[in-house]
Structures are given as C-alpha cells and as structure tokens.
Amino acid sequence: MAEAQHLDTPQYDAVVIGAGFAGLYQLHCLREMGLATTVFEAGSNVGGTWYWNRYPGARTDSPSNVYQFLFTDKLVNQWHWSERFPSQAETERYLNWVADQLDLRSDIQFNQRVDSAVWSAENACWIITTESGAQTSARFVISCMGPLSKPVLPSFKGSEAFEGIIVHTSQWPQQDIELAGRRVAVIGTGATGIQVVQTIAAEVQQLTVFQRTANYTIPMKNYPYAESEPLQVDGAQLLQRTRQTFGGFDFDIEHRLWAEVDPAERRATMERLWSEGNLALWVGSFAEQLMEAEANEAVSEFVRQKIRARINDPELEQKLVPTDHGFGTHRVPLETGYYEAYARDNVQLIDANEEPILHLTPTSIVTAHQEIPVDVIICATGFDAVTGALTNIDVRGRDNRSLADLWGKDVRTAMGMQVHGFPNLFITSSPLSPAGAFCNAPTCVQHSVEWISECIGYVQNRGSAIEATAEFEAQWVAHHDETANATLIAKTPSWYTGANIEGKSSRLIGYPGGIPAYVEACEQVKQNGYAGFSIS
Ligand code: NAP
C-alpha cells in the first residue's frame, strides 16, 4: 500500500470497491485495458452478496442461465449448474471459479473495508483510506458494492443481556449456526425471511415468525440439471437477449395491452406465467399491472386466490394473504413450501403490528401478549438499499462535498453512472438505474461495467477527469421521476422507495423504464462522445 506522501501521483489507475459479480468483472475489464487496478474487498473472499448472505435457504430467484457471466466463451458452458435456481453455496463456488479462471485474485485485497474516498482536485485523483488506516490513490474509483449490502438491524430493549444469538441474515457466520432442535425467531418476511422460514421450519424445535407485512409470492419451479445433460446456452445471443427484455431476463413483458385482451385471455395469460415458476408474472406480464390500479387489483386477486388455496386455517389466511398493497409493488419472492410451514405444530406466526416485540430477556422475547423462549433471533429485516453501501463510506467529491449529505437530502445520479460533483467516481447497482432494483443483477452488472470501462478508456485519451454535468443529471432525474411516478411501485412504501429507513429521501430507488430503454439511453450518451459529461 502506498505511503501517504506519494499520494499526489495516483498509485493506481483504478480502485474498485467490492469483489462480487460487478467487482470481478470490473477488475477483469480494466486489466484487459492495461489499467493498473486493485480491488478492496471487506470480506475474506470473493462473492459479494453470495459471500455474505449464507443464511439457511439462500438461493437465487433468477434462473442460472441468466444468473451468470455471459460475456466470454471462457466462462459460458464451462461451469455446470446443478439446478435451475442455484443455491448460495453454488453461486459462491461459481464466483470463486470465475476469479480463478480469470486469474483475478492477485489484484484483490481482502479484509479491506474502505473507510473514505476523498477527491484531490489538484492531482485529479481519489485518496482512498481503509479501516486499517492504509491509504492509496487512484485516478478512478468504481463502486461495486451491490445494492443490498448495508444491513438494517432493529434495536430491542434488553438485547445486550440476551444470552442467545442475534444475527442478521447477511451477517451469517462462515462456520454456520446450529439451528436443529433450537427455539428460533425470525423477524421479517421479505424475500429473505421467506427463504429462511421455509428452510428451517422442519428442523428447529420451535419457530416464531414476526411478520409486519405479508407478501405476494410465486411458487418456485426448481429442478436439477442432470450431469449428463448440463445447461447449455449461446452466451452471446443470450447476453443480447437479456438487454432487450424489460427485466434483463430471457423473457420479456407482455406486449398486448391489458384493455385490449378479454378477461378470459388475461386469466389464461396469468395462469401460463404463474406456471413458469419464475418471476415472469411480475416482470413478464402486462405492463399495466404495475401502472393501473384496476389491472393491478385483478392480478393481485389472482395471486391471493392461489395463496388462499394453500392455507386451511382462516386465521392464518387472514395474516398471510396480502391486502395492504398490490401485487408487484414490493419485490415478489419465489417460495417453496412457505405456506405449508405455518401448518406445522412447531411454527407460530405473529402479526408484529398487532403484537410487537416489547423487549428481550436473557432467554426470551416478550411481546404484549406472551413471553417466547428463544435461543436464536434471525433478523431478516432488510437493507439500507442501493445508497447505503456508499453513504457508509465518507465519500468527498469536489469542494469537499459529501455524498452522504447530498443523498441524505436528495438521491440523484446521472443515469446511475455518476453523481455531479464527484469526478471519476463510477457506480454500479446504483440509484436511478435499473440495476439498483429492477434488473436481473448479472445483466445490468455486465452492461454497467462495460459502459464504465469504455468511458474510462475514452477519458484516458482526452483528459484526466470526467464528471456528469449538473444539467444532464437534472435531466436524468426528471426523466427518472416521470417514469417512476407513472408506476404503482413509486406510490407504495417499501425499500424501493426508501420507506424502510427513517428519514431516507423518498424517490424510487431504481429506474423502472426497463432495460432496453436504459441501454439505449446509455448508448446515445456514448455515441455522442459522452454528451452530458464534461472531460477536463
Ligand atoms: P426486505 O424485503 O426489506 O424485508 C425485510 C422484512 O423485515 C420486511 O418484512 C419488513 O417488514 C421486516 N422488518 C423490518 N424491520 C422490522 C422490524 N423492526 N420488526 C418487524 N419486521 C421488520 O429485506 P429482504 O427480505 O432481506 O430482501 C431484500 C431484497 O433482497 C429483496 O427484495 C430482493 O431484492 C433481495 N433478495 C433476493 C433473494 C433472491 O434472489 N432469492 C433472496 C433474498 C433477498 P415491512 O415490509 O413491514 O417493512
């Protein structure tokens, strides 16, 4: 690591933060361009989301054909996925294999959490300091920390004296936690909580689930790929296809208009998409269902009926069937045996609104109605999504402006790629881009990384710094808001709107205009010599 006195000339061309999907590909691209690049990774290994989120039942909700790198034959069809929706362990193994195939490890510094990044206008470089106090400098910084990496942990009175284990799902220890035969509480029933509950219900002695909001779900159709018949894809074709579909999958939205399709045909379409056992009913259906209340209610009721059919207890039905928001306005989880878990004698579902947790004792959770003995409390309570990872770092741009202060008041970006006032800082999985929330992650990661790499290549021959102009950023924010405000998602509180974090600026965090429109906007900027960005 560089000595502080040498920081006035950049030690690296680029520093990448994070070694998950985005960071690995970003390192590969920049190295291929001949740029001296290093990656800082807080974990002890590669994997990002798939390194940290090792909770029971963690697996992708995207099928393996599109949840992988498709940019090179060196990787495509060389890794044999064992099932349609791979587990955390398999996805983590895959990313380790990618790191080895592309020989990336020598340029990754593990156990290095970045503490601050400060722009030096004088030297046109970033000074990066890690938690250990070590410093280096780089011309460019690329944030590859993923949209969901800063956990939100509830605070409970009495937690210091609790003698059991309290763990957030994204901080699950490497050595695992023994749950068999223990009394476990799960707090939260988003995509994560649902996976945990359905996985551990049969194994634990007693399971108590605290639910604040019931979610719509779709049954996952998972199946193994035989070793004799591994999944085979045409990488180049599939990569192109994923950039032409609304959600970055290999299926697109329904292009017929809701109003022009008769009710029987709408129903048949919903049934067909439902039976796919993936996210097609959410991001591969009629566009109107996420924009118009009537269409949304029709599909919401369709899903409610499906859920009701799985529950034989009226009290449970009332708790588990969502009625306070429309289908798809929250992230729709895929599930396997989730509702059946609640039919077990050892599982209790508590409505956390009606019966909140009052405090903990050394051995129990106390609510308004009961004391529940517990050994392990699993917080599936979500994340300070999309902005949290970067605002956790003291990022100072031109004139010492703080990114955390700026985003604390108003979350803004220029196409998600940059923020005005922060030259040479690029962001992947960023606010106001689809990658932040509405995209099959590897699709958008590959696209963003390629755009950023080409942009850096362009700047290198023309100057030392690039920065989004205030005008272009304002234009993008206005376009984003117009697109977002046409959706029901923006009108429904969730992590998509920042509503899960008190005081967080409320703007739909991801661009909901679809991948093709976003890719085209990025392409136009590039074709026009990075119009909207100034190079100095
Ligand atoms: P989440 O969707 O934000 O869900 C958090 C849950 O915790 C919600 O049910 C929330 O209730 C509840 N909660 C938060 N604080 C609480 C408190 N103090 N008391 C009681 N309940 C509380 O978080 P997540 O489930 O971790 O999922 C986040 C995102 O990660 C997903 O939307 C998805 O994008 C991604 N994910 C993907 C997969 C996959 O691909 N398979 C799996 C897991 C996660 P409210 O809804 O009432 O706020």
Side-chain angles (χ1 to χ4, degrees):
M1 190 89 47
E3 296 293 322
Q5 62 267 32
H6 300 310
L7 296 176
D8 48 357
T9 41
Q11 303 297 298
Y12 293 101
D13 294 314
V15 158
V16 173
I17 312 175
F21 262 103
L24 292 177
Y25 187 32
Q26 189 67 74
L27 170 61
H28 173 72
C29 287
L30 294 177
R31 261 190 2 189
E32 291 288 292
M33 290 161 61
L35 268 66
T37 306
T38 192
V39 179
F40 289 119
E41 166 54 55
S44 63
N45 206 342
V46 300
T49 287
W50 303 102
Y51 167 90
W52 295 102
N53 287 267
R54 47 185 68 246
Y55 61 83
R59 71 174 62 246
T60 68
D61 276 350
S62 293
S64 35
N65 65 331
V66 293
Y67 206 81
Q68 60 176 341
F69 288 117
L70 295 169
F71 68 88
T72 170
D73 289 345
K74 208 170 168 185
L75 300 177
V76 176
N77 297 326
Q78 306 302 314
W79 175 268
H80 299 306
W81 293 103
S82 70
E83 50 188 338
R84 184 186 186 201
F85 293 99
S87 67
Q88 172 273 329
E90 185 168 9
T91 314
E92 187 189 25
R93 280 200 303 279
Y94 167 73
L95 289 168
N96 273 275
W97 172 81
V98 168
D100 293 334
Q101 290 300 109
L102 302 179
D103 193 19
L104 299 174
R105 289 181 197 278
S106 55
D107 288 314
I108 304 175
Q109 303 184 43
F110 293 105
N111 303 304
Q112 294 285 345
R113 189 176 283 279
V114 173
D115 207 28
S116 70
V118 178
W119 175 249
S120 161
E122 196 186 339
N123 302 305
C125 69
W126 286 92
I127 312 291
I128 299 103
T129 308
T130 66
E131 260 179 8
S132 63
Q135 285 197 316
T136 192
S137 57
R139 180 76 71 212
F140 299 96
V141 170
I142 305 100
S143 165
C144 294
M145 290 184 282
L148 299 157
S149 50
K150 187 183 171 200
V152 176
L153 265 162
S155 65
F156 298 115
K157 216 168 115 195
S159 60
E160 338 67 62
F162 182 66
E163 289 167 1
I165 296 168
I166 304 180
V167 62
H168 189 277
T169 43
S170 72
Q171 294 171 332
W172 204 264
Q174 297 272 334
Q175 64 276 21
D176 211 358
I177 298 172
E178 181 63 48
L179 296 177
R182 297 177 92 178
R183 298 161 304 181
V184 178
V186 173
I187 302 171
T189 52
T192 303
I194 285 172
Q195 290 187 329
V196 174
V197 168
Q198 68 195 19
T199 305
I200 68 173
E203 166 193 353
V204 300
Q205 186 197 113
Q206 184 66 41
L207 176 60
T208 308
V209 182
F210 287 87
Q211 172 189 269
R212 213 160 55 178
T213 306
N215 264 305
Y216 296 90
T217 60
I218 296 171
M220 171 186 278
K221 269 197 188 152
N222 198 10
Y223 45 79
Y225 294 122
E227 265 185 46
S228 54
E229 257 180 278
L231 169 74
Q232 291 289 309
V233 301
D234 179 331
Q237 201 181 54
L238 190 54
L239 184 68
Q240 196 186 10
R241 169 75 181 148
T242 56
R243 290 179 187 180
Q244 292 164 342
T245 68
F246 184 82
F249 292 91
D250 56 351
F251 56 79
D252 201 4
I253 46 169
E254 173 62 59
H255 288 290
R256 291 174 298 172
L257 295 178
W258 174 267
E260 289 176 4
V261 175
D262 70 53
E265 177 53 22
R266 287 178 199 152
R267 172 91 196 182
T269 304
M270 288 190 259
E271 288 287 3
R272 178 173 53 77
L273 296 174
W274 178 263
S275 70
E276 299 280 331
N278 59 8
L279 294 172
L281 185 66
W282 182 35
V283 284
S285 190
F286 296 95
E288 291 90 335
Q289 77 182 34
L290 295 175
M291 306 177 84
E292 293 172 9
E294 198 186 319
N296 182 266
E297 177 51 25
V299 69
S300 299
E301 188 49 31
F302 170 85
V303 178
R304 284 187 212 118
Q305 283 171 12
K306 298 283 189 192
I307 298 174
R308 280 190 204 110
R310 304 253 305 267
I311 307 167
N312 293 321
D313 172 332
E315 202 185 316
L316 270 179
E317 184 182 305
Q318 197 167 15
K319 284 183 183 161
L320 286 169
V321 177
T323 49
D324 61 353
H325 63 283
F327 174 80
T329 57
H330 289 181
R331 159 69 146 78
V332 179
L334 300 184
E335 60 77 35
T336 309
Y338 176 63
Y339 299 100
E340 289 69 20
Y342 291 102
R344 300 180 58 87
D345 289 341
N346 67 330
V347 180
Q348 174 184 202
L349 176 62
I350 292 185
D351 178 341
N353 299 310
E354 187 213 303
E355 190 183 339
I357 295 174
L358 297 183
H359 63 94
L360 307 184
T361 74
T363 56
S364 66
I365 291 174
V366 178
T367 73
H369 304 328
Q370 54 185 319
E371 179 171 357
I372 305 157
V374 283
D375 305 306
V376 182
I377 301 175
I378 300 174
C379 298
T381 43
F383 300 87
D384 181 354
V386 189
T387 55
L390 254 183
T391 55
N392 211 26
I393 294 174
D394 188 13
V395 179
R396 301 272 163 175
R398 261 191 307 104
D399 310 320
N400 201 35
R401 68 184 72 184
S402 150
L403 187 62
D405 284 354
L406 175 73
W407 279 358
K409 296 184 202 102
D410 190 17
V411 178
R412 319 170 53 79
T413 69
M415 285 191 326
M417 297 295 186
Q418 278 207 324
V419 181
H420 174 65
F422 298 82
N424 289 4
L425 171 67
F426 291 93
I427 312 167
T428 59
S429 306
S430 64
L432 282 56
S433 81
F438 306 123
C439 184
N440 169 51
T443 300
C444 282
V445 156
Q446 287 173 101
H447 171 262
S448 305
V449 164
E450 286 166 17
W451 192 94
I452 290 167
S453 305
E454 284 180 52
C455 180
I456 288 176
Y458 184 88
V459 177
Q460 280 229 309
N461 300 324
R462 289 168 176 81
S464 52
I466 181 164
E467 180 185 338
T469 65
E471 296 72 28
F472 179 66
E473 185 179 90
Q475 257 175 43
W476 182 257
V477 173
H479 168 65
H480 170 87
D481 285 352
E482 191 185 355
T483 313
N485 292 337
T487 71
L488 299 169
I489 309 174
K491 300 178 177 79
T492 312
S494 75
W495 69 257
Y496 288 153
T497 60
N500 66 327
I501 306 293
E502 212 184 317
K504 187 161 174 173
S505 145
S506 68
R507 165 167 278 137
L508 192 67
I509 205 77
Y511 173 71
I515 312 311
Y518 179 74
V519 166
E520 177 57 24
C522 294
E523 188 59 26
Q524 285 301 319
V525 167
K526 186 177 93 181
Q527 297 289 335
N528 293 326
Y530 297 91
F533 292 78
S534 65
I535 297 173
S536 54

